[in-house]
Amino acid sequence: MKILNEQDKKYLLDSIRAINDFPKPGIVFRDITTLLNDQKAFSFLMQHLTERYRDYNLDFIVGIESRGFIFGAALASCLGIGFVPIRKPKKLPYITISQKYTLEYGVDEVQMHIDAFRDKKNAKVLLIDDLIATGGTAKASIELIRQTKAECVEACFLINLVELNGSKEIEKLTKVYSVLEV
């Protein structure tokens, strides 16, 4: 079950609510709260990801604020390894490193604690988030991981919005696995 079959993908996709015209007309928002509150669907997803990453010999899971925290912390617990949050500026209490990235209309930034990987040399990490759209935040997160000399062995997303091509940008930096593609 390292890659889901079409029936399993449909099961997970059906557990995610689609909301038309949110946050603005023409957008179909994928509301994962319905997957999160469906114990069977969430457990199925976590079992799948645990099986997929069990033999990667990962040291840490890195989750992007905020929904990446949910999947990342749960997966880290399943794999018996540490979890590291990547957050927006001024949210982490200790010394941080930062990476800026461009948005359609401006610049944003992500941060991580300077000692996030507990001084583990060449830590092998998995980056995880709920969704990949244009890839800006994920790309900045991978660059942040690289600043620590850790290796991002793969970036995992629950949903890939294929038409926005974000996964193609991330594939220039690391392997990408998307559970679902819409």
Side-chain angles (χ1 to χ4, degrees):
M1 192 166 76
K2 295 196 177 190
I3 296 177
L4 295 179
N5 63 39
E6 291 306 311
Q7 181 180 350
D8 290 339
K9 288 180 183 181
K10 182 176 178 347
Y11 168 67
L12 285 176
L13 191 57
D14 287 348
S15 76
I16 298 168
R17 178 173 33 209
I19 301 174
N20 292 320
D21 300 320
F22 183 83
K24 62 183 184 179
I27 303 290
V28 178
F29 185 83
R30 303 298 171 165
D31 178 12
I32 64 160
T33 62
T34 52
L35 180 143
L36 297 174
N37 70 21
D38 181 334
Q39 182 270 328
K40 289 181 181 175
F42 186 71
S43 181
F44 177 78
L45 174 63
M46 287 299 101
Q47 288 171 3
H48 165 62
L49 293 176
T50 300
E51 185 174 319
R52 177 174 176 81
Y53 292 110
R54 180 175 286 126
D55 296 329
Y56 273 57
N57 297 313
L58 297 168
D59 297 303
F60 296 91
I61 304 291
V62 175
I64 300 172
E65 186 172 349
S66 67
R67 292 174 297 257
F69 292 2
I70 298 165
F71 300 110
L75 182 57
S77 179
C78 290
L79 294 173
I81 59 176
F83 172 75
V84 173
I86 287 186
R87 302 211 59 191
K88 299 291 184 183
K90 300 180 183 174
K91 301 283 186 178
L92 293 169
Y94 189 62
I95 301 164
T96 59
I97 54 176
S98 302
Q99 182 68 41
K100 292 185 190 289
Y101 61 99
T102 57
L103 301 168
E104 187 176 349
Y105 298 106
V107 176
D108 210 342
E109 182 178 351
V110 289
Q111 295 182 334
M112 183 172 67
H113 279 139
I114 195 164
D115 62 351
F117 302 126
R118 300 184 166 270
D119 298 323
K120 171 123 177 99
K121 296 207 185 287
N122 305 310
K124 290 176 62 174
V125 304
L126 171 74
L127 179 67
I128 194 165
D129 204 3
D130 68 322
L131 183 122
I132 179 80
T134 60
T137 308
K139 186 176 179 183
S141 297
I142 293 167
E143 294 298 334
L144 200 55
I145 291 165
R146 287 179 171 179
Q147 284 183 40
T148 68
K149 306 291 188 238
E151 176 190 2
C152 182
V153 298
E154 191 163 274
C156 175
F157 305 96
L158 174 59
I159 301 170
N160 177 13
L161 299 179
V162 178
E163 67 183 36
L164 297 178
N165 293 318
S167 61
K168 288 187 182 353
E169 287 300 309
I170 302 309
E171 286 171 348
K172 295 175 185 175
L173 303 173
T174 191
K175 293 188 296 182
V176 173
Y177 175 64
S178 300
V179 178
L180 305 170
E181 294 192 333
V182 295

